[in-house]
Amino acid sequence: MTAKRVVIVSGGSWTDDYLKYISAGDLLIGADRGALLLIENGLTPDIAVGDFDSVSSEDAERIRSASVKTESCDPIDKNYTDTELAFELALDQRPSEIVMLGVTGGRMDHTLANVQLLIRALHHQVVCTIRDANNYIQLTGSQLTVENHGFTYISLIPATMEVSGVTLQGFEYPLTDATLRQGQSLAVSNKLAGPTGTVSIDSGLLFVIQSRD
């Protein structure tokens, strides 16, 4: 089974504004309470996955009956978070793109683990983004065209200890062949000078985060 785009909805922060990121034809995977969020917004999860320990027994049954397919797991004897289980199922679809919603907010350990899933997606050569009300997160290991999605700032955060050869074009504060290291804030709160900009790096992995207050 091959999907053009997979949207994962988890049980983190959610606003109705997220619905704009879901299009007809997307394959929808609901992770635990994320499946219920899809159903409550009139959408049918193609796959619901998780231990469903964050919803009531009545809502768990609602998820099972309203989803095309349900993948349940033991809440104790499992090696992955519900979001990572959903991510594995998304990779199984061999998609061209994965969009992750509701995977930030709340527990910081879960948020950080979910953000690091972008590294896994890059290794699988799958375009992957994390989106919420205040952030639009991408990852690059080479070159990335950054489009203006209506956020105020663009920050570059190293995902590896060091990122070298960082060059920015189309930004208010350009860089040329710079080196960014973890623990520094040199490339935080930049802005696009126009509708698009380009981030290029020679080595390492770099988070590109569009954000607003």
Side-chain angles (χ1 to χ4, degrees), residues 49-183:
V49 61
D51 51 31
F52 305 110
D53 62 350
S54 64
V55 299
S56 67
S57 56
E58 292 80 9
D59 283 334
E61 183 55 40
R62 182 183 178 191
I63 290 170
R64 293 185 184 94
S65 62
S67 302
V68 176
K69 182 180 179 181
T70 302
E71 297 272 356
S72 299
C73 62
D74 189 286
I76 298 175
D77 186 21
K78 67 175 186 179
N79 295 320
Y80 306 103
T81 64
D82 295 324
T83 301
E84 187 172 1
L85 289 170
F87 184 81
E88 290 291 334
L89 290 171
L91 289 179
D92 288 344
Q93 312 304 315
R94 291 178 293 172
S96 60
E97 181 180 2
I98 297 174
V99 175
M100 303 178 69
L101 306 174
V103 302
T104 56
R107 287 177 55 174
M108 182 56 69
D109 54 348
H110 280 240
T111 296
L112 288 173
N114 293 337
V115 169
Q116 289 184 356
L117 291 175
L118 295 180
I119 299 172
R120 297 262 309 282
L122 186 67
H123 290 162
H124 284 269
Q125 298 181 316
V126 176
V127 174
C128 187
T129 55
I130 291 176
R131 312 178 192 186
D132 63 28
N134 296 93
N135 304 282
Y136 188 106
I137 307 172
Q138 299 169 280
L139 178 75
T140 184
S142 55
Q143 181 171 297
L144 180 68
T145 298
V146 181
E147 299 178 356
N148 188 342
H149 290 283
F151 294 86
T152 309
Y153 307 106
I154 299 178
S155 296
L156 310 180
I157 306 294
T160 49
M161 289 298 295
E162 184 174 284
V163 182
S164 65
V166 182
T167 299
L168 303 181
Q169 295 179 321
F171 287 78
E172 288 191 4
Y173 305 101
L175 287 174
T176 301
D177 200 27
T179 297
L180 301 179
R181 296 179 177 86
Q182 289 185 347

